[in-house]
Amino acid sequence: MKNILLTLIFGVFSLNTVALDINGEPYEFTGSVSSITLTNEGGVINVVGETGQYGKVWLTYNLNLDNPATPNQGSFTGRAVAIDGEGNRNSASRQGVWERKGEMMHFKSLDDVSDGNQFLCITKVNLIDDSLEMKFYSVK
């Protein structure tokens, strides 16, 4: 009985240590696909757009086809660079997962920005009209 109780207590406390603390309303980013390059490993999607917080933003998604049994999903890494109206530059490393459903690609990523912010990003890309919509949430 003691072992079961200790296991439950440690289980509850360990869940709190890995939880994301998402703060406030999401920021929004809209953009468009500027290029897609296909590779044997997956492909590269480049995006350009605007967001109020960071200004003009360029994103790269380096897609990996991790599991041949699931050809419509995988992981990705990427980079982001932004320049605001005053010439300030920020960059970010990006890592996450993707899936394609019909003409829509969905990305979920964690981004580490050079200004000290970290974000959970939820992104939709329409492969027919090349539009992108992202909501990103502060996780600090």
Side-chain angles (χ1 to χ4, degrees):
M1 186 66 166
K2 272 186 179 179
N3 290 340
I4 293 173
L5 183 60
L6 285 173
T7 301
L8 288 173
I9 290 171
F10 286 122
V12 168
F13 285 115
S14 66
L15 288 175
N16 288 336
T17 61
V18 297
L20 289 176
D21 184 16
I22 299 173
N23 298 309
E25 294 297 313
Y27 299 100
E28 295 189 12
F29 170 75
T30 57
S32 61
V33 174
S34 58
S35 69
I36 295 178
T37 304
L38 303 177
T39 68
N40 290 335
E41 295 77 31
V44 178
I45 299 174
N46 290 299
V47 174
V48 63
E50 294 279 335
T51 182
Q53 182 175 1
Y54 290 104
K56 187 168 186 176
V57 179
W58 296 267
L59 301 173
T60 298
Y61 295 86
N62 299 301
L63 306 180
N64 297 309
L65 299 172
D66 298 320
N67 183 345
T70 56
N72 291 322
Q73 69 183 43
S75 66
F76 77 92
T77 60
R79 300 286 307 156
V81 173
I83 306 285
D84 68 16
E86 298 173 6
N88 299 309
R89 178 186 181 276
N90 280 290
S91 61
S93 66
R94 315 185 72 232
Q95 45 282 321
V97 295
W98 64 269
E99 72 175 332
R100 184 184 64 82
K101 293 181 180 177
E103 75 278 2
M104 298 299 294
M105 289 195 74
H106 302 272
F107 297 88
K108 297 159 193 84
S109 67
L110 292 172
D111 295 10
D112 185 23
V113 184
S114 59
D115 65 0
N117 285 314
Q118 293 181 330
F119 295 104
L120 168 66
C121 302
I122 309 296
T123 307
K124 296 186 295 189
V125 176
N126 185 315
L127 296 172
I128 301 301
D129 68 10
D130 291 332
S131 64
L132 176 140
E133 295 177 9
M134 177 192 295
K135 292 186 187 275
F136 54 108
Y137 302 82
S138 177
V139 292
K140 280 193 155 192

